[in-house]
Amino acid sequence: MAKKTAAGHKKFWHSFRFAAQGITSAFRSELNMKVHSGLAVVVLVAAALFRLPPASWLLLLLAITLVLSTELLNTAIEAAVDLISPDVHPLAKTAKDTAAGAVLLTAVFAVITGIYVFYHPVMDWITELMS
């Protein structure tokens, strides 16, 4: 529990700045973070255009949050492994590949979620265009 002092409150608020710096660093250095973020923007714009209900927004935001969070963790694991083991090592490879696998798993979940959420609105839109 944080101390109820001015220094404790200052430290608490600084933690948000450090977290933001971490997100910014991952966004600047990792191509996949840029790709995932860009796709998230496209999905959210599409959700607004299709006027999706709140429950669909919640599913999309959950999927986006999971993918971006996992990408951040992957970036952190890769950086820590590179620091600890700058040389090629089988265990370092296992750690990095496993973290990348977690990102892939959440990305697949996000695609499935997107199909689930957008299928009927897109099909209705196509049907409307065809008639």
Side-chain angles (χ1 to χ4, degrees):
M1 177 175 241
K3 296 177 185 176
K4 294 187 177 184
T5 65
H9 290 291
K10 187 175 182 181
K11 187 175 180 180
F12 174 76
W13 291 111
H14 281 195
S15 67
F16 286 100
R17 188 176 79 217
F18 299 144
Q21 288 172 349
I23 293 168
T24 302
S25 174
F27 186 81
R28 286 184 179 156
S29 67
E30 298 297 320
L31 175 62
N32 286 343
M33 188 69 171
K34 292 174 187 171
V35 169
H36 293 307
S37 298
L39 289 172
V41 170
V42 169
V43 165
L44 294 175
V45 168
L49 291 173
F50 281 105
R51 294 188 171 103
L52 295 181
S56 294
W57 277 88
L58 187 61
L59 286 173
L60 293 173
L61 290 171
L62 172 64
I64 290 167
T65 300
L66 286 173
V67 170
L68 295 179
S69 296
T70 310
E71 187 62 51
L72 288 168
L73 290 170
N74 180 48
T75 301
I77 289 168
E78 286 183 352
V81 168
D82 287 346
L83 177 66
I84 295 166
S85 179
D87 298 325
V88 177
H89 189 282
L91 290 176
K93 179 180 178 353
T94 299
K96 287 178 156 188
D97 290 352
T98 304
V103 175
L104 178 61
L105 189 63
T106 57
V108 168
F109 168 75
V111 168
I112 292 168
T113 301
I115 291 168
Y116 174 78
V117 166
F118 283 106
Y119 180 78
H120 288 294
V122 169
M123 294 308 288
D124 291 345
W125 177 69
I126 290 172
T127 303
E128 189 178 303
L129 285 177
M130 300 298 277
S131 55

